[in-house]
Amino acid sequence: MEIEAKLLVPPEVALDLIAQLDHLGPYRLRPRRTARLHSLYVDTPKLTLAHHRVALRLRRRGRRWEMTAKWMGRVCGMIHERPELTVPLAAAPRFPFVVPVGPLRARLGALVGRRGLRPILVTDIHRRLFDVFPQHGEQALAELALDHVRLAAPTGSRETYDEIEIEAKGGSRRDVARIARLLRERFGLLPSPASKFARGLALLDGVMVSRAR
């Protein structure tokens, strides 16, 4: 179960300013790494998975690829809770893409079986990662991600925006909410009720999947 807070960064707020933080209230921030993430969301031509509130993402991390399914969960304000399952891919995906034999085929087989899937959305993310620690202690409570996001749809529609995600690691839902609240108060950030996938669906001409995750 993924538990995270999502915050939109207004255009007038610079991510670079937030990236300079080493403390936030009672929490310590430690920079970890910077990553560039290229992801493809795949589905049938009729968006079978999206209409069943499932997002299937193929993501490249360095030279490796992984496949993640995320199911509809619960959104309460800026807190998102949803089931997800990630499995590695043996090689870069080819299209039409068929979900390989394994746990995700077992979970998604009733919806897509062995049908070939094609990209419906592309995301490119420049991500700066930080670990969030309590004032005293070396067990990270959460992971803070500062994301510059570029969404693209096959229709040619595009969107660029900045977003912050705070995901629970060793901490609780309460820790995530408190960290998010401190960021909101300090920088004037906005709760984001929609995932990257849901924002991307809005770019597809004539397609709106209500509360898709």
Side-chain angles (χ1 to χ4, degrees):
M1 180 68 72
E2 178 186 57
I3 301 174
E4 67 179 10
K6 300 173 75 66
L7 298 167
L8 286 176
V9 181
E12 64 271 16
V13 178
L15 274 182
D16 288 343
L17 182 63
I18 302 173
Q20 295 173 15
L21 292 176
D22 56 11
H23 285 79
L24 184 66
Y27 301 101
R28 294 181 292 115
L29 276 61
R30 182 183 299 170
R32 204 166 83 223
R33 61 184 173 87
T34 298
R36 292 189 179 274
L37 306 174
H38 177 70
S39 301
L40 306 171
Y41 289 90
V42 295
D43 209 331
T44 67
K46 295 184 177 181
L47 300 183
T48 303
L49 291 173
H51 283 292
H52 284 84
R53 311 295 192 263
V54 181
L56 184 59
R57 183 186 70 200
L58 311 180
R59 171 168 284 177
R60 185 179 66 212
R61 293 180 180 270
R63 296 183 179 180
R64 296 179 296 175
W65 284 83
E66 65 184 21
M67 174 174 56
T68 299
K70 298 192 178 191
W71 286 265
M72 179 180 173
R74 183 177 67 158
V75 178
C76 183
M78 55 193 167
I79 303 295
H80 297 238
E81 297 181 71
R82 58 191 172 185
E84 69 172 19
L85 178 60
T86 298
V87 298
L89 291 174
R94 295 183 178 182
F95 301 98
F97 176 78
V98 177
V99 178
V101 174
L104 276 178
R105 168 83 70 84
R107 296 290 299 272
L108 302 178
L111 297 177
V112 297
R114 292 183 57 83
R115 279 186 285 175
L117 309 176
R118 293 192 177 275
I120 60 166
L121 295 168
V122 179
T123 65
D124 284 292
I125 302 169
H126 178 256
R127 171 169 285 180
R128 284 175 278 188
L129 285 169
F130 298 79
D131 287 324
V132 184
F133 296 90
Q135 189 169 14
H136 304 289
E138 290 301 319
Q139 174 64 47
L141 300 174
E143 178 183 85
L144 175 68
L146 309 185
D147 288 348
H148 179 67
V149 185
R150 294 179 180 176
L151 287 171
T155 58
S157 300
R158 297 176 182 273
E159 182 182 5
T160 301
Y161 64 98
D162 292 334
E163 181 180 65
I164 292 177
E165 294 183 352
I166 306 108
E167 183 174 354
K169 292 302 181 182
S172 65
R173 186 181 188 277
R174 181 176 294 179
D175 289 311
V176 169
R178 188 179 185 192
I179 295 165
R181 185 171 64 251
L182 289 168
L183 284 168
R184 284 193 65 192
E185 292 171 352
R186 183 160 179 176
F187 296 100
L189 308 183
L190 306 171
S192 177
S195 66
K196 293 177 178 67
F197 179 61
R199 290 178 71 102
L201 286 177
L203 297 179
L204 299 178
D205 289 348
V207 175
M208 288 295 292
V209 181
S210 175
R211 297 191 66 188
R213 301 288 173 234

